[in-house]
Every structure is written in C-alpha cells, then in structure tokens.
Amino acid sequence: MPGEDKYLAVARITRPQGRRGEVAAEILTDFPERFTAMRRAYLENPTGEPEAVEIESAWPHKGRIILKLAGVDSIGAAEGVRGRHVLIQKADRIPLPEGHYYLWELEGCRVVRRSANGAEEVGTVTAVEPTPGVNLLRVSTGKGEVLIPFAQAICSRIDAETKTIWIEPPEDLLELNS
C-alpha cells in the first residue's frame, strides 16, 4: 500500500451497521478508547494514498466499534467501505511507557549479543510472533532463522533510535534452530 510506512491500522470495517451509513469495525488497537475522541482518520485506498475522513461519531458495541463517517450516509455507501482499514498517522500513535514497544517497531531491528570479542551481530528481526506466553522474535541470520523469546532476561537492552536489540541468550539458544 502506498504510504504504508506513515500509517497504522487501528480498525477494519467489517459491515454496515444500521440504515444511516454507520459501519461496524473490528478493533485492531490496544487503545480502543482512542475512538471516542478521534475526529479524523484515514481510509485505506488500495489504488493510492489513504484518504482523509472525518469521524462524526464512534461508540463501542459488542466488542466492535461503530463508526459514523462523514459522507457515508447510506447502507450502499457503507458497503463501499467494507473491508477497508481505518488508519492513523504513525506520529499520532499513543506513546508507550519507557521499556514498552509496539511490535511493529521491533521489525527490522539488528540483534546483537555481547561476546568475548565485543559485539557479535546475530541477525535482523523479520517478524514478531505473538504467543500466549512470551512473544518470539523471528531473526534472520546468515545460517537461517532463529526464534528468540522477547523476554527481559534475554533481550537486555533495546535501542529504538538505532533499531538495535542487545541479547544475552542462554547457552545454545541460538543453535536450537540450526
């Protein structure tokens, strides 16, 4: 999607809701309270840059968010936006406390471990795999892929500015997937 590096999806429109153009949307953010104060967002546009849209009202309903978007005033118009993502600019994301990170921020980070020779490059995070326990970093190395638990005991320092994760892995962790 053009401009995808500037936007984050916070909802996905699933269907029309009511007769006046309201839409039901699946919530994709950990901060659903943001919708009650949000007055402007962007709608995903598969053929180009996302388009700005005014949010006239928003309210929670049965685990989803109901949105009334300006210019969407009928069931037919609501059908026209079905399946599209509601986006915000990355700059408008809710700041997290120190030591907490959005999973998307970890993708592309270099993974480095301390060694007797100083620092040893392990690889690059290609994805973060959510699990019921601790999330796993999928790290591409010169020898293949390694899964590293995203745990404080292993990921000892994260520098978001330089996109570097310093690890102190238990013995043989990096060799498990070799």
Side-chain angles (χ1 to χ4, degrees):
M1 180 173 84
E4 71 180 20
D5 57 325
K6 295 179 358 187
Y7 299 94
L8 295 172
V10 293
R12 186 180 62 81
I13 298 171
T14 56
R15 61 182 174 77
Q17 172 77 29
R19 297 177 302 188
R20 296 186 195 103
E22 296 93 346
V23 293
E26 173 187 8
I27 297 170
L28 302 176
T29 175
D30 289 335
F31 305 100
E33 63 277 5
R34 76 169 32 254
F35 291 105
T36 55
M38 191 177 353
R39 293 294 158 241
R40 182 183 174 103
Y42 299 85
L43 279 183
E44 174 183 43
N45 185 348
T47 61
E49 195 69 20
E51 57 192 84
V53 64
E54 179 186 339
I55 298 175
E56 294 178 355
S57 60
W59 63 93
H61 179 68
K62 296 183 179 180
R64 298 190 184 267
I65 192 75
I66 307 302
L67 301 171
K68 175 60 180 94
L69 306 174
V72 179
D73 298 318
S74 67
I75 294 172
E79 277 292 345
V81 295
R82 181 192 290 258
R84 291 169 72 181
H85 285 95
V86 178
L87 310 170
I88 61 166
Q89 291 186 336
K90 279 187 178 178
D92 294 334
R93 70 187 181 274
I94 293 177
L96 297 176
E98 189 173 328
H100 292 80
Y101 306 91
Y102 287 103
L103 296 182
W104 58 264
E105 289 179 299
L106 303 175
E107 292 181 14
C109 283
R110 293 174 41 236
V111 178
V112 178
R113 78 169 168 182
R114 295 184 200 334
S115 70
N117 302 332
E120 177 186 337
E121 184 96 15
V122 175
T124 303
V125 177
T126 57
V128 181
E129 186 175 315
T131 68
V134 65
N135 293 328
L136 297 173
L137 301 176
R138 290 192 169 275
V139 179
S140 175
T141 71
K143 299 175 187 174
E145 182 177 76
V146 175
L147 298 175
I148 300 174
F150 187 59
Q152 221 170 9
I154 296 172
C155 300
S156 58
R157 190 172 129 228
I158 299 164
D159 186 341
E161 295 292 317
T162 63
K163 292 197 65 83
T164 305
I165 300 173
W166 290 85
I167 64 169
E168 296 176 21
E171 189 175 332
D172 297 331
L173 174 71
L174 300 178
E175 288 77 30
L176 281 177
N177 296 347
S178 298

